[in-house]
Amino acid sequence: PMGEAPASELDAVLGGGGWDVGASFEGPPPPTGPIRLGRNACYVVLAVLFNEEDGVLLVQEAKPECRGKWYLPAGRMEPGESVVAAMRREVKEETGLECEPLTLLALEERGPAWIRFAFLARPTGGTLKTLEEADAESLQAAWWAGDPSALPLRAPDILPLLDLAARYRLSPPHPPTLPQELPCALLCLRLLVAFANDAGDLWVLLGTAGTPHLPVVACGTSPAELRGGLRLPVLQLLLDCLPSDPHPGPLGLLGLQHRAGGPGGADGVCFNMLLSIPPGSPGATPPEPRSPAFRWWHVEEESLRGRILQRLCAAATVPVRS
């Protein structure tokens, strides 16, 4: 029955919304101190914008190490700034244009030490920066309709993002996904872990402490944990919880939660992630958890089951690139 499952939480997370993180976490004890930008975390924002002629907005760099090279508008998020405000500020400073976000295109990460939020956005005003207005932020900005790889680029890492953006504009693989304003002291992941067999049966892993809920794991900030990426705490949880090596599928982002100047000035983020445990055989049921702190919930309600399966089967989530 739905009373045994977090129906409202699942509905919010699947819809790209947020849900209160709370103070309890599954898995290893979370770090004692909060996440703070510039101290134990670095967040970067990047934006892909197109004009009506399908030109992409590019910036000519002013920094000495890459002066004259071209890149997408991007830069570091500042303490006390929301993710979207940081993206708008960087676009304005580097290109002269105002913009609004349409969706996250990708989440690129190297653990808490470096996370980049790549947006698809649209221009809403302003005037394109010219060489006469060159400053420390950029030399100029331009709409480029040709092959970006023909330009001297600061780095080729923007080319896959441009491909993602072009594909999203043609046929969006996932609903528009934008940050939700909810506080979070730590960097953590809320996990929608699904197990589906070929008969169409679906189970979701729940934490049982208190009210049944989607498990939440916190990222550590030790050097090894920083290097391990966002997938490390997920794998640790599943190895502790399930009887055999689960070999989960890729992480997909359903949404994220962040509020500038969170508890104690924290800059934490909660990423709402979808991943699947592949069945070992046709008609299989999920492996029994080793700990009473977890249980599988069999999803019988048709609408909810269909929404989760659609997200799984179509990879209809924001891609996470590690």
Side-chain angles (χ1 to χ4, degrees):
M2 283 301 283
E4 295 178 9
S8 299
E9 182 184 8
L10 277 163
D11 187 59
V13 168
L14 282 168
W19 197 258
D20 183 43
V21 174
S24 61
F25 297 85
E26 276 72 32
T32 51
I35 290 288
R36 292 188 186 280
L37 286 177
R39 194 175 302 175
N40 52 15
C42 173
Y43 304 154
V44 177
V45 290
L46 175 148
V48 183
L49 290 88
F50 294 94
N51 64 7
E52 292 177 357
E53 289 76 44
D54 291 332
V56 65
L57 183 63
L58 295 177
V59 171
Q60 193 171 36
E61 296 282 5
K63 301 180 191 71
E65 65 271 20
C66 54
R67 190 177 179 87
K69 302 286 183 71
W70 292 86
Y71 205 66
L72 290 168
R76 292 191 180 195
M77 198 165 131
E78 296 173 357
E81 199 172 36
S82 75
V83 185
V84 168
M87 185 273 294
R88 285 183 166 139
R89 174 183 55 76
E90 286 292 345
V91 170
K92 178 68 174 175
E93 288 176 352
E94 295 190 350
T95 74
L97 299 185
E98 308 280 353
C99 73
E100 67 173 13
L102 299 173
T103 185
L104 271 165
L105 277 176
L107 179 70
E108 301 175 306
E109 60 96 7
R110 299 172 200 153
W114 189 89
I115 294 174
R116 185 161 75 175
F117 304 92
F119 286 90
L120 178 65
R122 71 177 188 88
T124 56
T127 307
L128 207 60
K129 182 187 277 191
T130 64
L131 278 171
E132 289 72 34
E133 299 164 302
D135 56 21
E137 297 295 336
S138 64
L139 298 178
Q140 63 176 325
W143 294 106
W144 179 258
D147 180 359
S149 61
L151 290 170
L153 297 177
R154 180 180 119 192
D157 63 337
I158 62 171
L159 296 176
L161 293 173
L162 292 173
D163 287 341
L164 262 183
R167 290 203 304 271
Y168 191 95
R169 294 174 78 212
L170 282 174
S171 177
H174 57 79
T177 305
L178 293 171
Q180 302 297 304
E181 291 264 334
L182 277 170
C184 187
L186 302 174
L187 198 67
C188 58
L189 295 89
R190 176 183 282 110
L191 304 176
L192 202 173
V193 182
F195 183 100
N197 64 23
D198 60 347
D201 293 311
L202 175 70
W203 290 262
V204 168
L205 187 68
L206 300 181
T208 58
T211 306
H213 59 278
L214 296 179
V216 179
V217 293
C219 297
T221 53
S222 72
E225 289 166 322
L226 289 173
R227 288 193 301 271
L230 298 182
R231 199 170 173 83
L232 180 63
V234 177
L235 292 174
Q236 287 175 333
L237 174 80
L238 295 177
L239 286 170
D240 290 344
C241 161
L242 301 178
S244 57
D245 191 348
H247 297 295
L251 290 176
L253 182 70
L254 292 165
L256 65 93
Q257 305 170 196
H258 170 268
R259 178 177 290 164
D267 297 297
V269 181
C270 179
F271 297 103
N272 297 325
M273 297 287 193
L274 176 67
L275 69 156
S276 61
I277 305 296
S281 59
T285 57
E288 194 62 33
R290 287 195 287 202
S291 164
F294 300 94
R295 68 177 175 86
W296 290 101
W297 174 61
H298 188 214
V299 184
E300 296 178 348
E301 203 270 313
E302 260 328 292
S303 171
L304 181 60
R305 190 173 68 91
R307 289 172 72 195
I308 296 173
L309 288 174
Q310 187 273 330
R311 288 292 197 112
L312 279 175
C313 297
T317 54
V318 175
V320 179
R321 299 185 162 182
S322 301

